[in-house]
Amino acid sequence: MNEKNIQEYLNIIKKKNPTICLEIGFGSGENLLNNINKYQDSFFIGCEPYLNGLTSFINGLQEKYYERIKLFKDDVRILLDYIPDNFFDKIIILFPDPWPKARHEKRRLLNEVNIKLIIRTLKKEGIMYTATDVKDYFFSMLKSFEHLNNCVIINKENYIKKPKFISKTRYMEKTKVINEKAFFLEIKKILD
């Protein structure tokens, strides 16, 4: 997907007025494939910079879904430059690279600057789903979202319960095997 393709796709889906979902860093694409199959009235954009993940996803994608999904193989921040405000109904970011060393924390995808860029593209009443198995990263995300005036965290009662919109992935199963907990956030945009 390049700049011209992005604009063409955005124009097509705007006319149809469907539910539009963005999944950032979809890995092998288990969650994305499941949602494409489950939510037949939705359109999707998947952003994954790694060729192995894209290949796995494409191998599992049925031809009948081609018109409802576009893939972007680059840094999501480039894609977001082309996305209008209040565009996505749902945004999903599962287990982004935690960059665990303190000197690398600024590289984390979900930091205060990037969260604002991402939230800008979410519609009012839209939901953003995130997950991590790194406690430090979870609390960093939580703090960043709590500072936003235009969003609320809707799963404050239970950060361990997996939201229904998120499918089990191989990575989640791996987390269970090594006895790590996954932490989930569901964020609702309440103001434009």
Side-chain angles (χ1 to χ4, degrees), residues 30-174:
E30 298 104 333
N31 184 68
L32 187 53
L33 285 168
N34 184 57
N35 283 331
I36 290 170
N37 184 47
K38 191 174 180 180
Y39 300 101
Q40 298 286 327
D41 59 340
S42 297
F43 279 65
F44 298 85
I45 295 177
C47 185
E48 175 56 56
Y50 298 109
L51 190 56
N52 287 346
L54 285 167
T55 303
S56 293
F57 174 78
I58 291 167
N59 285 336
L61 183 64
Q62 296 176 34
E63 188 175 341
K64 64 182 178 180
Y65 298 135
Y66 286 2
E67 69 179 40
R68 293 184 29 239
I69 176 76
K70 289 294 179 196
L71 302 175
F72 188 75
K73 186 200 171 302
D74 212 329
D75 187 316
V76 70
R77 291 169 292 193
I78 296 168
L79 174 66
L80 293 175
D81 284 343
Y82 297 100
I83 304 295
D85 292 355
N86 309 309
F87 187 76
F88 294 112
D89 296 278
K90 293 181 174 70
I91 298 175
I92 304 150
I93 306 172
L94 303 179
F95 303 98
D97 191 332
W99 294 100
K101 294 181 181 176
R103 69 178 185 267
H104 293 150
E105 283 183 11
K106 64 183 177 219
R107 294 183 183 181
R108 289 178 171 174
L109 174 63
L110 291 172
N111 60 41
E112 287 195 28
V113 172
N114 290 337
I115 285 172
K116 288 177 183 174
L117 289 172
I118 295 166
I119 289 295
R120 172 193 66 77
T121 66
L122 190 63
K123 289 180 181 175
K124 184 179 176 189
E125 303 298 317
I127 307 287
M128 181 173 169
Y129 302 91
T130 69
T132 184
D133 58 344
V134 178
K135 191 180 271 191
D136 171 63
Y137 197 5
F138 171 75
F139 285 111
S140 170
M141 286 190 271
L142 185 62
K143 183 179 176 184
S144 294
F145 283 113
E146 286 176 338
H147 284 123
L148 294 177
N149 311 359
N150 60 344
C151 295
V152 294
I153 298 167
I154 57 178
N155 68 325
K156 282 187 176 183
E157 300 301 316
N158 190 346
Y159 296 124
I160 306 297
K161 184 178 178 187
K162 181 180 71 60
K164 290 179 184 176
F165 195 74
I166 296 176
S167 306
K168 285 187 179 175
T169 66
R170 282 183 285 185
Y171 193 87
M172 279 187 226
E173 293 302 316
K174 181 179 163 186

